[in-house]
Amino acid sequence: MQDHSLTAEEKLVTLIGSHQAVLHRYILTLLPDRALADDVLQETNLVLWRKAADYDSARPFLPWAMAIARFQVQAARRDSKRDLHVFNDELVDVLAQEAASAENNSAPMDHALEQCLKELPAKQREIILARYKRNGSVKVIAAEQGRTPTAISLLLMRIRKTLMQCIEQKVSLS
Amino acid sequence: MKNAEKLDEQLHQLLEGELDEDGMSKLNLELLNSPTARARYRHTMALHSALIQKGHSQSALEAALRTAETASSDSPSRKRSVVMLIAGALGAIMISGLSLLLLPSRTWATVLESSQVQWEQGATVADKAHIPRDQLLAFKSGSMRIGFRSGASVTLEGPCRFELKEPEALTVVHGRVSVHTPDGAQGFRIDTPGGKFIDLGTEFGLAVGSDGQAPVILTEVFKGEVKIVASSITPARLVQGESRALVKDTHQATLLSALDESPVYLNNNSQSLPVENQVSDAANLALGKPVSSPAYYASKHGSVFPPEKLTDGRLNDSGVPGDWSFWLAPNEQHGEFTVDLLQPETVVRISLQNTNNRKIGDRGVAAFEAYGSLDNKTFFKLVEGDLPRIDAKTDTIFPFRDFSFSRSKIRYLKVVVTHHYRHPERPATHSHHSGGLNEIRVFAE
């Protein structure tokens, strides 16, 4: 009995761990605030863990996890008036439906991203990775690079555009 | 094509926090009306998410490697734990994004921006990081702006000690803060050792200090309205342009409309970090060196201005009651002070920053003479000069004035004030006036 329970726990931990990327993407799409999305992902992980007994392993994990994430997003929007200034409820509902549907059909982008990062000029790669390190900011990068924050911000916009075009190309080719 | 470029620009601004409210409502409308725009938005956020997770993994690994470097000469058991740490970081990278599980629980406040913050030992919170709850945090210098979930923000200026105990309140034990609350965030509160300051939709400043025994808190309302609640006083409301000093006289809390015979004035840094002087103390021989003076101005409610403030590296009449950044001579005296460089130094230049006594404008150096000595007994003249009056209305950062002289070997530097500024509107018989100075810097080149 105990062995069976442990196996179920292990399975759930594996499922939660292997779906972090897709859950983070889903939450960030509904809450375009990096710190808030990180918090909501953690809350979602905790709720998934607490509701382990409710999970029917015969059914797909992702729709169940996304439904719980959706509730956590609603709670965060209710608690955080700041985010209400970004998207209204109607838009968040539409984005939630479309994002859930898109996640079921999306190709993994991790490998393509790695490839596309390698194809960037070294300086651009350094700047985009610096921006996404924990606590990396335009202001800090500008100071490190001896450039203005505006110049770094414009460069980041161009790098993101290049990466998106590159990833779209690689994913469609694969 | 043009619309797509415009959308990309809006999305970039969204990711970088550069989108204003008008831009947000336009983006909201565009996404609501256009399935194509929503698809573009989803792709953008997918890339953003992937890069964030890559960043988390990278940071976790780098932190582990840094720990490994510092532990390279440690005991075998320490090394084993470091190896486990690295293995953990690598595991987090392999299980994409699992390192997010290590983040703190839902946060109440985040560092929005900071400048040259020097934390006290044991406390560090980086830009964009969450403020830990129920932990007294302290930084010696610099400034930072904290954002709360309601949209309220607080700018803190060092030296500052503070603690986050509730979702929409900040406890400030010591230091200067400026508060901004947008519509919808009314009720945000600053708790101090002397009382609570409740924001009713406004911008206001606080200087939280002490007279050595009881708290002394200065406040000025820049916009809107603030409610002050303290034991033994009737809750008071201040509106735009009003200021008070919350003090304890004979064990009773009291709200004073003037301190040192003048209303309280504070700088409004509620929506941005304070502007800093573009000066470096790297070659300043006087920084942190002892300073003596025959006497200095000291009054009640933390209005004490000893000479060691002249070399503390703090500028622009900053500080709080009991811990101001500048020196003042006693009433009706020009004043003088002597900096001990602790060893003979060859010097060629001094740099002085004047004071105007916290915008009161009744003190400051007008003219001075500087002398050098090797034994603190025999002094020889180095230079004399004039300093302009600080204009409290226009000078948010006070200028430094340089005075050069021939290369001289000295250990002691004495500055004798020969003329000082008085309050422009007070009568000649008024006794509240004296010399005073914010900072002295001494250079070998």
Side-chain angles (χ1 to χ4, degrees):
Chain A
M1 182 68 186
Q2 201 173 5
D3 285 345
H4 175 75
S5 164
L6 278 175
T7 304
E9 278 184 4
E10 284 169 0
K11 274 184 185 171
L12 192 65
V13 167
T14 306
L15 282 168
I16 295 173
S18 61
H19 287 84
Q20 288 297 287
V22 61
L23 286 173
H24 185 262
R25 184 162 61 231
Y26 176 70
I27 292 164
L28 192 68
T29 302
L30 307 186
L31 281 177
D33 177 310
R34 182 172 170 174
L36 204 51
D38 285 352
D39 287 349
V40 171
L41 176 60
Q42 193 194 11
E43 295 283 338
T44 302
N45 288 330
L46 290 174
V47 175
L48 288 171
W49 178 249
R50 285 193 205 110
K51 289 184 176 281
D54 299 345
Y55 175 55
D56 177 0
S57 59
R59 301 180 68 179
F61 171 80
L62 190 55
W64 177 66
M66 282 202 291
I68 287 172
R70 177 80 179 90
F71 279 118
Q72 295 309 309
V73 167
Q74 277 176 333
R77 280 172 59 79
R78 192 182 54 235
D79 295 347
S80 169
K81 289 173 184 171
R82 186 179 57 183
D83 181 67
L84 289 178
H85 299 153
V86 181
F87 292 152
N88 63 30
D89 290 343
E90 188 184 0
L91 177 57
V92 172
D93 284 343
V94 174
L95 288 172
Q97 283 172 21
E98 291 181 348
S101 167
E103 286 301 349
N104 291 325
N105 304 306
S106 67
M109 69 146 55
D110 292 3
H111 182 67
L113 174 63
E114 288 298 333
Q115 292 291 315
C116 293
L117 282 170
K118 281 179 190 164
E119 290 175 19
L120 281 178
K123 198 70 182 171
Q124 291 191 9
R125 185 166 59 248
E126 182 192 334
I127 286 171
I128 190 82
L129 290 179
R131 171 67 183 85
Y132 282 96
K133 272 187 193 174
R134 190 158 291 164
N135 310 323
S137 72
V138 168
K139 201 170 150 189
V140 169
I141 298 167
E144 284 171 358
Q145 300 285 333
R147 302 176 68 174
T148 65
T150 307
I152 294 296
S153 179
L154 286 172
L155 184 57
L156 282 169
M157 183 165 76
R158 283 203 295 275
I159 298 170
R160 284 201 188 97
K161 196 169 181 179
T162 305
L163 283 174
M164 280 180 67
Q165 284 168 346
C166 174
I167 289 168
E168 279 167 17
Q169 197 179 21
K170 289 197 187 303
V171 170
S172 68
L173 284 176
S174 67
Chain B
M1 186 63 186
K2 207 166 183 179
N3 285 344
E5 280 176 10
K6 179 71 186 161
L7 179 63
D8 281 347
E9 193 181 332
Q10 285 177 310
L11 294 178
H12 168 74
Q13 288 171 338
L14 175 71
L15 300 192
E16 295 303 335
E18 297 168 3
L19 203 59
D20 59 19
E21 288 207 16
D22 183 48
M24 282 178 186
S25 78
K26 281 179 182 160
L27 178 62
N28 212 86
L29 201 62
E30 170 77 4
L31 292 179
L32 203 52
N33 293 334
S34 165
T36 313
R38 289 199 296 276
R40 185 74 181 166
Y41 169 74
R42 276 201 312 278
H43 292 160
T44 303
M45 297 315 279
L47 173 65
H48 190 45
S49 168
L51 285 166
I52 288 171
Q53 291 171 79
K54 186 172 174 57
H56 281 315
S57 305
Q58 202 178 1
S59 299
L61 180 60
E62 283 175 5
L65 288 173
R66 270 199 304 276
T67 312
E69 278 172 17
T70 56
S72 58
S73 58
D74 283 356
S75 65
S77 63
R78 171 104 171 110
K79 280 184 181 169
R80 271 197 302 279
S81 65
V82 168
V83 169
M84 292 298 289
L85 186 62
I86 294 173
L90 286 168
I93 292 164
M94 289 164 69
I95 306 169
S96 175
L98 195 59
S99 57
L100 289 173
L101 284 164
L102 303 174
L103 286 173
S105 60
R106 186 167 294 170
T107 49
W108 290 337
T110 308
V111 179
L112 300 175
E113 57 180 334
S114 66
S115 176
Q116 300 180 23
V117 171
Q118 271 194 303
W119 290 94
E120 295 283 1
Q121 203 170 13
T124 303
V125 186
D127 270 10
K128 309 299 175 196
H130 313 305
I131 303 291
R133 299 174 191 179
D134 301 320
Q135 183 183 333
L136 186 63
L137 296 166
F139 60 97
K140 292 183 248 185
S141 57
S143 58
M144 61 192 295
R145 203 157 62 87
I146 295 174
F148 288 77
R149 286 178 171 267
S150 63
S153 64
V154 181
T155 303
L156 303 112
E157 298 171 53
C160 185
R161 295 196 300 279
F162 63 102
E163 187 169 356
L164 186 61
K165 296 177 176 174
E166 293 179 39
E168 291 301 330
L170 188 70
T171 299
V172 178
V173 181
H174 178 99
R176 274 203 191 198
V177 299
S178 299
V179 180
H180 166 74
T181 58
D183 282 347
Q186 289 91 342
F188 180 83
R189 211 177 69 238
I190 299 285
D191 294 345
T192 73
K196 298 175 188 297
F197 295 75
I198 302 157
D199 197 311
L200 303 176
T202 186
E203 288 174 8
F204 73 100
L206 284 174
V208 181
S210 160
D211 63 8
Q213 298 197 327
V216 178
I217 294 108
L218 314 182
T219 186
E220 181 179 357
V221 180
F222 308 123
K223 282 182 192 169
E225 192 173 1
V226 167
K227 185 177 175 185
I228 304 173
V229 179
S231 61
S232 76
I233 63 164
T234 308
R237 285 175 178 244
L238 300 186
V239 296
Q240 183 169 337
E242 289 188 308
S243 65
R244 293 289 185 275
L246 177 60
V247 302
K248 265 192 183 167
D249 276 335
T250 60
H251 308 294
Q252 292 282 313
T254 310
L255 276 174
L256 304 175
S257 57
L259 202 65
D260 292 329
E261 303 206 348
S262 172
V264 170
Y265 301 111
L266 298 170
N267 288 332
N268 183 357
N269 295 311
S270 59
Q271 298 207 49
S272 60
L273 297 179
V275 181
E276 288 161 358
N277 296 70
Q278 298 299 311
V279 293
S280 166
D281 268 319
N284 173 13
L285 297 170
L287 184 66
K289 297 291 166 55
V291 192
S292 60
S293 67
Y296 58 88
Y297 179 66
S299 182
K300 57 185 181 178
H301 304 140
S303 291
V304 287
F305 305 88
E308 60 262 29
K309 302 298 181 182
L310 287 155
T311 55
D312 64 357
R314 294 162 60 204
L315 309 175
N316 306 324
D317 286 3
S318 57
V320 297
D323 185 30
W324 295 104
S325 72
F326 52 101
W327 161 77
L328 295 180
N331 278 345
E332 301 179 291
Q333 290 186 25
H334 292 315
E336 67 173 57
F337 61 85
T338 303
V339 181
D340 181 357
L341 299 176
L342 299 179
Q343 61 183 29
E345 303 275 5
T346 303
V347 299
V348 298
R349 177 169 61 97
I350 60 174
S351 189
L352 304 178
Q353 190 193 53
N354 216 346
T355 175
N356 76 348
N357 189 19
R358 302 158 288 172
K359 298 188 181 182
I360 297 173
D362 58 354
R363 295 165 205 264
V365 171
F368 72 95
E369 293 172 355
Y371 299 86
S373 169
L374 283 166
D375 59 6
N376 205 15
K377 291 176 186 164
T378 310
F379 282 86
F380 50 93
K381 194 168 181 181
L382 297 171
V383 69
E384 62 182 41
D386 301 330
L387 279 183
R389 185 191 279 273
I390 300 291
D391 185 339
K393 286 180 184 151
T394 58
D395 294 336
T396 51
I397 58 171
F398 302 173
F400 269 96
R401 290 290 167 125
D402 284 1
F403 299 91
S404 298
F405 42 85
S406 57
R407 191 172 292 272
S408 306
K409 193 163 191 179
I410 63 165
R411 172 175 164 176
Y412 299 93
L413 182 102
K414 181 188 283 188
V415 173
V416 178
V417 182
T418 54
H419 186 60
H420 68 262
Y421 291 112
R422 300 176 59 136
H423 195 287
E425 291 163 14
R426 287 180 186 161
T429 53
H430 200 290
S431 63
H432 276 241
H433 60 90
S434 73
L437 195 69
N438 230 303
E439 194 76 1
I440 179 167
R441 304 164 79 230
V442 180
F443 296 97
E445 293 299 334

